[in-house]
Amino acid sequence: MIKIKVVLCAVMLTLLSNITAQELKGDELKSMEKYGGIMGDKGVIAPGLRLSAEQMKWWRDAKFGMFIHWGLYSIEGKGEWAMFNNKIPAEEYAKLADKFNPQHFDANIWAAVARNAGMKYMVLTARHHDGFALWNSPSAYLHFNSFETAAHRDFVKEYTAACRKAGLAVGIYYSPMDWRFPGYFKPLELAENAERMKKQGYGQVEELMKNYGKIDILWYDGGWLAHKGKDADAAWFWEPVKLNRMVRNYQPGVVISPRSGWEGDFQCNEGGGKIHGPIIDTPWEKCLNLNQSSWGYNPVQNLMTLKEIIVMLVNTVDRGGNMLLNVGPDADGIIPDTHITRLKEVGDWLQKYGESIYGTQPGPFQPVDDVYGSVQKDKRVYIHLLSIKDTLQLPLIEKKILSCRQMSGSPLKFRQDKNGTIISLDGIKPDSVVTTLVLETE
Ligand code: JFZ
């Protein structure tokens, strides 16, 4: 039995290459296993709840955002699952709130870092599975929030204001489930306690949607029960359609993630696993970690390289997705310098090549894994080359190609006929990260 588990763990670890071995334990692993990429089961369907393509347009055009995991777990720096993994009793864990009093937190700095990285939106963990709310939350069970503990601050207020000031779309992450409730683990036996957790969930979502102006993204996570099954399996309990009808009342245009048990406005692809396959038509988002040690602050740094980030971004965008890249600031609210430097490199790349990312649509060519992918905007087609041979063969398209050049350089020879197009890459000087071509079409 143990052997089977070990083998299974090993397989999962290779699949979820963004999380290091020491971070993955028991239920955390199990909770991931059931998705393994785009959620197969899309959740409860509710006509009328989903946004129209027109309402989703800004999000689809934005392509790139910053995920922020920050909370009490940032103090210990062992990842956001530390309370559960290390079996810290709720009363014990709650003492961390007495220590959570960041002196250098400045949401404007976070926003500046995101902007300099070329990001267009941010998503902050207003409350993770540990139950600690980063705002003035009257619905918080046992007053477990940053306004009524050591910090006496409403970080969501500061954060939402900073996003808007920087011209970034405002995203809020919220986990309905809360480990402090035994009823979460035994919803049938401890129904009353579970009901109390649900009441907190509804109350807090209402606070977040009502008190902080226009919210652009609501990123639910963990609409489970007892870490079992899919989010949708717990829909009998959470009643996500009812919950999200309430959300739409306050925020008619908010883009909602699929993790409340309702199918949501987009699909999730989580973790550092590779993106491959054809273009996906429905809106989707890849979320992953800049520091692959854990989502929450971790002094062990295992940063993605610039090239890994850009390859992931183009692979995502060439298939019609967005990318949400996570940082975990420390307990004082500081994003480590090394992270800022790496993100700035990403921003510098986007300064030059952003035209082939923002506001584009995937195609006209289906991506070829590890070889190239393409996007289009107006009369231009951009090709992101992932490997370079002497020539690039492209399938037939209806439009006539008028010219072809390397985005950073000179024109390239090409021939378009009834079989497709051949571009000569002979003698091309590859770009240091991802070589990008521009085709002008008629
Ligand atoms: C969830 C959280 O449990 C985790 O702490 C983090 O906030 C992350 C963004 O979301 O974890 C998951 C859930 C599902 C997968 C991966 C991590 N998955 O589908 O691979």
Side-chain angles (χ1 to χ4, degrees):
M1 187 62 193
I2 290 177
K3 235 186 198 170
I4 297 176
K5 270 196 189 153
V6 170
V7 172
L8 192 75
C9 281
V11 172
M12 286 311 298
L13 286 175
T14 6
L15 292 175
L16 301 158
S17 51
N18 68 318
I19 317 268
T20 55
Q22 81 262 21
E23 306 303 329
L24 271 177
K25 294 193 194 93
D27 289 271
E28 184 174 9
L29 180 65
K30 263 197 259 156
S31 74
M32 295 176 171
E33 274 174 49
K34 60 181 180 273
Y35 296 114
I38 295 269
M39 285 214 303
D41 180 344
K42 289 189 190 166
V44 177
I45 293 172
L49 256 192
R50 278 187 71 168
L51 297 182
S52 65
E54 203 183 319
Q55 288 171 301
M56 286 296 289
K57 191 180 182 309
W58 75 265
W59 186 88
R60 300 209 80 177
D61 284 347
K63 308 293 181 191
F64 190 32
M66 182 186 268
F67 211 174
I68 305 173
H69 276 67
W70 191 60
L72 295 187
Y73 44 82
S74 312
I75 297 176
E76 299 285 340
K78 290 177 183 152
E80 73 293 346
W81 272 65
M83 173 184 175
F84 183 85
N85 288 341
N86 302 328
K87 301 192 171 57
I88 306 171
E91 312 76 59
E92 182 69 30
Y93 189 85
K95 291 182 190 151
L96 287 174
D98 305 333
K99 289 197 212 157
F100 191 69
N101 189 9
Q103 297 304 300
H104 293 99
F105 168 86
D106 181 351
N108 295 303
I109 296 179
W110 289 2
V113 171
R115 273 194 68 108
N116 289 336
M119 289 153 161
K120 304 291 187 192
Y121 59 98
M122 301 219 276
V123 179
L124 167 66
T125 52
R127 213 212 70 195
H128 207 265
H129 312 330
D130 63 357
F132 186 71
L134 293 176
W135 73 98
N136 176 9
S137 174
S139 305
Y141 180 61
L142 303 179
H143 306 280
F144 203 35
N145 69 86
S146 62
F147 199 73
E148 294 177 271
T149 50
H152 298 292
R153 277 165 82 175
D154 186 326
F155 295 111
V156 169
K157 193 171 184 178
E158 296 179 41
Y159 158 80
T160 50
C163 290
R164 288 185 197 113
K165 206 163 119 195
L168 293 160
V170 185
I172 288 185
Y173 166 113
Y174 181 80
S175 157
M177 53 153 287
D178 182 337
W179 288 319
R180 295 178 301 151
F181 291 86
Y184 166 70
F185 297 94
K186 293 186 173 168
L188 294 175
E189 295 89 327
L190 303 172
E192 219 172 283
N193 183 262
E195 205 45 48
R196 182 66 190 82
M197 170 178 73
K198 181 177 171 183
K199 191 174 161 221
Q200 171 186 256
Y202 273 69
Q204 290 193 319
V205 170
E206 183 170 27
E207 288 165 15
L208 290 168
M209 295 301 107
K210 196 175 164 182
N211 300 338
Y212 298 92
K214 185 167 170 275
I215 302 299
D216 302 298
I217 299 163
L218 173 56
W219 216 102
Y220 287 114
D221 186 12
W224 303 296
L225 280 174
H227 301 319
K228 283 202 194 87
K230 297 197 168 75
D231 294 325
D233 297 332
W236 66 270
F237 175 79
W238 290 109
E239 300 183 90
V241 174
K242 183 169 136 192
L243 179 65
N244 289 305
R245 288 229 165 90
M246 183 260 285
V247 168
R248 286 266 180 265
N249 256 336
Y250 292 111
Q251 302 285 346
V254 66
V255 175
I256 304 177
S257 86
R259 305 285 293 277
S260 67
W262 168 57
E263 62 169 344
D265 292 306
F266 63 92
Q267 292 183 57
C268 278
N269 178 315
E270 228 164 271
K274 215 171 131 179
I275 299 281
H276 46 72
I279 294 167
I280 297 163
D281 289 329
T282 51
W284 65 280
E285 183 180 62
K286 169 82 171 168
C287 65
L288 78 172
N289 245 327
L290 173 59
N291 180 9
Q292 309 198 340
S293 298
S294 59
W295 299 89
Y297 175 69
N298 202 313
V300 181
Q301 291 201 21
N302 182 10
L303 298 197
M304 290 177 78
T305 65
L306 172 64
K307 184 155 181 166
E308 282 168 347
I309 297 168
I310 301 300
V311 167
M312 192 70 85
L313 181 66
V314 301
N315 272 332
T316 300
V317 171
D318 293 349
R319 289 163 179 79
N322 280 14
M323 188 166 102
L324 186 63
L325 185 61
N326 179 72
V327 298
D330 70 16
D332 208 21
I334 307 268
I335 302 173
D337 279 343
T338 47
H339 295 43
I340 295 180
T341 307
R342 182 58 37 82
L343 290 171
K344 177 73 170 60
E345 291 166 11
V346 174
D348 290 346
W349 187 87
L350 280 163
Q351 279 283 329
K352 280 196 211 149
Y353 296 98
E355 177 188 323
S356 78
I357 300 290
Y358 307 119
T360 61
Q361 292 190 333
F365 308 108
Q366 280 292 347
V368 177
D369 292 347
D370 303 316
V371 183
Y372 73 90
S374 70
V375 293
Q376 48 198 331
K377 191 162 56 183
D378 306 323
K379 288 183 174 175
R380 285 182 166 182
V381 173
Y382 300 87
I383 311 267
H384 298 121
L385 282 180
L386 301 172
S387 67
I388 299 182
K389 303 216 179 75
D390 287 349
T391 59
L392 174 69
Q393 302 252 8
L394 298 171
L396 199 62
I397 44 167
E398 264 172 41
K399 285 186 194 167
K400 188 171 186 301
I401 297 170
L402 302 175
S403 72
C404 174
R405 64 181 166 87
Q406 190 175 354
M407 210 170 144
S408 60
S410 35
L412 298 168
K413 287 193 187 123
F414 69 97
R415 200 182 70 228
Q416 185 176 29
D417 61 24
K418 62 180 187 343
N419 299 314
T421 303
I422 294 183
I423 300 172
S424 166
L425 301 177
D426 200 20
I428 195 172
K429 199 171 148 272
D431 299 355
S432 60
V433 184
V434 170
T435 302
T436 305
L437 313 181
V438 195
L439 314 181
E440 302 281 353
T441 66
E442 212 169 50

